[in-house]
Structure formats: C-alpha cells, structure tokens
Amino acid sequence: MSDTHVTAPRAEGPGAHQPPDTRKPLVEIRNLSRRFGDVTALDDVSLTIAENEFFALLGPSGCGKTTLLRAIAGFERPDSGTMLLGGQDLVGLPPHKRPLNLMFQSYALFPHMTVEANVAYGLEQEKLGKDEIRRRVGEVLETVGLTATAKRKPHQLSGGQRQRVALARAVVKRPKLLLLDEPLSALDRKVRTQMQLELKRLQQEVGITFVVVTHDQEEAMSMADRLAVLAHGRVQQVATPVETYRRPANLFVADFIGDSNRFAGRVVDGGLHVDAVGLLPGQVVGDVSGEAHLVVRPEETRLVEAGHGLLDGRVVETQFYGGVSTVAVEVPDHAEPVLCAVSGVSTVERGAAVSLTWNAESAVVVGGSL
C-alpha cells in the first residue's frame, strides 16, 4: 500500500473530464525510445496531448518522466520514434528552434535583474520593440499578480513569488507548449497548495498547453486534465485523474496512486476468488484472467457488524486526520491490515471484532505486478 495519502478526486473538480473532442492534438509522440547504455529510460512510449490541455507526467523516480520531458524540449535525442508539435517534426530540431519553453525546477532567475527585467529578457533577445515588450510584460505580471513587485530583485521575493516570476518569464514569449519540471518542489506545503490552484488558473487564462513532470500524486491529481502514469520507461495508463484513481489499468497504477487494499487470487465470475475467504466481489478491468489482484479504496470499504460482511477481523489502529478516521483492521491470512476510511471521528475501539464489506462496482480486479 502506498505511504502517500491522496484524497479521492471528485468528479466535478479539475481534471474530471476528458478534453473535449473539439481539441486538436498538439503533441503526438509515437514509439519513442531512449537508452543509456544498458538502461532503457524510455521504452516505446506513445502519447497524444491536446491543445490547451494541462497534462501531467507522473511516476516514481527513475520511471522516465524527466527523460521524456527533456526529449520533447530537445535536450535528449531519442534512439527511435517520432515527436510532432503542431504537426512539425521535432526530432533533430535544436532546442532553441522549438516553439516551446521549459521552466526549470530551480527557476534560474537572474539575481541582479528586477522582476520586470527577468520577464522581459526573452523578448529582448527576440529584438521586439520596447513598447511591445513593455505591454506584454505588464500584461503577464498582472496575470500572475506581480505588478506591485515589478521593481524588486529575486532575493526580495518569497518562494511563491519567485515561482510566479519564472512562470511569467516562460509564458510571456507565448509558446505553443510550456514544459514544467517539478515546478512546485521548492515550495513549502501551504504555498505549494496555493500555487497548484494558481498554475491551473494561469494555464486556463493564457491558453497554453502545459506539460508538468511530478512525482507528487496530489499535485498531478489536483491540476491535470489528464495524466500519464509511467514506470520502468513505459506508459502504464493515460486517463483523467478520476478515472486513474477509480479504474486503475493495472496493479502498479492501483498501488502507486493513493492508498488501496489489495487481495491476491484468481479471476472468477463476479470478482476474485481468494483461497482463505472465497469470492470477493469486484469488476474486472481489461482482459484479465488467471492470477490477479482485487483493489478497493479505503473510502469504499465499510465497517459492519461482525459476521455480516465479506471479511472478519479485529481493529488494530484508528487515526483521525482532516475530518476522516482511518481504521486499520487485521484480517486472518492477510499480510497487511485492511484500511477503512470513516467520515468524522470513529467510535470503534481497538480490539473490536468487526466485518468489512464493499459494493462490487467499487472494487476492481487488475493484472500486472508492482
């Protein structure tokens, strides 16, 4: 089970829907591979990213997400495959000729320049007129809420403000595509949460496609229209955050995204047969047969009176955080406690005999391995 707590995404929140069918594909990646000696960083990766979409590349360290971002930016040359941006072939095109911008993790602001000078730098390199530069810099500073700090230097700004300067400098050149590499990792938790909303708002206002690399599940789930989960250089699933959470494509995605209870067994009609307990109800995802796993989220797992559920066990721990109690139940012949999320403060006591149950449509049966 994942150590990272991720709240189930709400269907009406950001990222709850697929991009409308009217959106044209902006980035088309087909069968992209990149190897470093004996290590395959990207293994036959294919993705399509739409115009004006907020797209996240999510996965653990070493999964290939940063290599993919650098390949799109032009800093890594793939060994095979194709990349198109707005129909233009990117393979072989140097980074400075690609109609995109990359915002680095470190922000890379010029410390001796003011905020407005930092933002104007790229436009000055393009030899635009002074009036045009002044107008565009003023507009973007107003958009990111930094008009009042235009004359300050980076060291006079907070971490969140420096991040906004870096964003303003990236979008002022009006690229077709903005790539962001762990853009919020340098911020503390409270500021990071605020900037997640700010990034989404900014992306919608400026109308630029954002592709963000992150290992932070909450970050990806709260901001992205769609996300791609990567592992071992391969794409495991591409879907909306809601679909990824509720209908993971395989065991890796189910385990990586949020907390989950999983049971090993054999696929049968109606769910999964587990030798120690019999049939556990669930819906089979994809073409899965034979040995598989059933996955059910803690918030879909319910506590009922002992002897009246699918699994019997004893409460070993209860934790209360953020308006939700997580009850851990020890089940015989199951290696890990089964987690159940209860709204409010749970009244169940440690050591109490309970049963656990869930609806068949709330659990999924998936194949694959961790």
Side-chain angles (χ1 to χ4, degrees):
M1 287 175 285
S2 169
D3 292 331
T4 304
H5 176 72
V6 175
T7 303
R10 295 177 298 173
E12 69 273 21
H17 56 279
Q18 294 281 0
D21 293 338
T22 54
R23 288 186 181 178
K24 297 179 181 178
L26 178 68
V27 180
E28 298 174 87
I29 298 171
R30 295 289 176 265
N31 309 114
L32 203 71
S33 294
R34 180 71 172 106
R35 290 174 290 278
F36 299 96
D38 295 333
V39 177
T40 300
L42 298 175
D43 188 5
D44 199 35
V45 169
S46 293
L47 286 173
T48 299
I49 301 170
E51 288 183 346
N52 199 27
E53 183 173 20
F54 200 122
F55 195 91
L57 300 175
L58 177 66
S61 297
C63 70
K65 57 187 185 295
T66 297
T67 301
L68 179 56
L69 194 80
R70 288 176 57 83
I72 298 171
F75 299 120
E76 293 289 349
R77 187 177 179 88
D79 296 298
S80 59
T82 60
M83 289 186 296
L84 300 178
L85 177 56
Q88 180 183 13
D89 188 2
L90 292 182
V91 177
L93 201 64
H96 67 278
K97 291 190 176 181
R98 301 189 179 200
L100 54 82
N101 215 334
L102 174 62
M103 181 177 151
F104 291 98
Q105 189 174 0
S106 63
Y107 306 155
L109 302 179
F110 298 115
H112 62 287
M113 291 184 180
T114 63
V115 167
E116 62 183 1
N118 264 282
V119 176
Y121 182 80
L123 301 180
E124 291 171 348
Q125 299 306 302
E126 294 181 359
K127 309 297 184 185
L128 296 184
K130 290 184 178 180
D131 289 343
E132 174 72 3
I133 292 174
R134 188 179 302 110
R135 181 182 65 81
R136 284 171 60 172
V137 169
E139 287 176 352
V140 76
L141 287 181
E142 184 176 356
T143 299
V144 300
L146 289 177
T147 302
T149 64
K151 301 298 183 182
R152 295 182 188 176
K153 301 286 183 65
H155 73 273
Q156 297 173 300
L157 305 176
S158 67
Q161 288 173 326
R162 287 194 294 272
Q163 199 258 7
R164 293 184 190 189
V165 176
L167 270 173
R169 188 176 61 182
V171 302
V172 77
K173 295 183 68 175
R174 298 174 182 170
K176 290 183 179 179
L177 175 67
L178 178 59
L179 308 175
L180 303 101
D181 184 12
E182 300 278 4
L184 308 181
S185 61
L187 306 177
D188 63 49
R189 183 174 181 83
K190 184 176 181 179
V191 176
R192 189 163 65 244
T193 300
Q194 294 170 345
M195 288 307 301
Q196 287 171 4
L197 298 174
E198 183 74 13
L199 264 180
K200 185 64 180 177
R201 180 192 68 81
L202 179 63
Q203 185 265 337
Q204 292 173 338
E205 281 197 13
V206 300
I208 295 173
T209 300
F210 279 23
V211 176
V212 59
V213 159
T214 181
H215 67 276
D216 188 313
Q217 300 167 26
E218 283 194 28
E219 196 167 285
M221 301 289 273
S222 64
M223 295 190 301
D225 295 317
R226 289 188 305 149
L227 54 87
V229 180
L230 283 82
H232 313 299
R234 298 186 67 90
V235 175
Q236 305 296 311
Q237 184 171 8
V238 179
T240 67
V242 169
E243 184 180 355
T244 304
Y245 187 85
R246 293 181 177 173
R247 302 282 294 179
N250 55 39
L251 182 61
F252 176 85
V253 177
D255 185 74
F256 182 73
I257 301 292
D259 292 322
S260 61
N261 301 307
R262 64 178 188 269
F263 305 87
R266 299 185 308 279
V267 179
V268 295
D269 288 342
L272 195 78
H273 177 83
V274 178
D275 288 341
V277 294
L279 174 66
L280 295 181
Q283 296 184 329
V284 178
V285 176
D287 185 19
V288 180
S289 60
E291 300 297 318
H293 286 79
L294 181 138
V295 175
V296 59
R297 301 294 184 182
E299 65 272 14
E300 301 291 351
T301 308
R302 303 191 305 276
L303 288 174
V304 294
E305 185 180 347
H308 289 75
L310 298 169
L311 299 169
D312 295 320
R314 289 193 176 274
V315 175
V316 292
E317 188 63 72
T318 300
Q319 295 180 335
F320 176 75
Y321 179 75
V324 175
S325 295
T326 300
V327 181
V329 179
E330 191 175 64
V331 174
D333 299 314
H334 191 65
E336 296 179 321
V338 178
L339 303 181
C340 175
V342 179
S343 180
V345 179
S346 173
T347 58
V348 66
E349 297 181 354
R350 184 182 300 179
V354 296
S355 280
L356 297 162
T357 191
W358 58 81
N359 298 328
E361 60 270 21
S362 300
V364 293
V365 177
V366 296
S369 59
L370 298 180

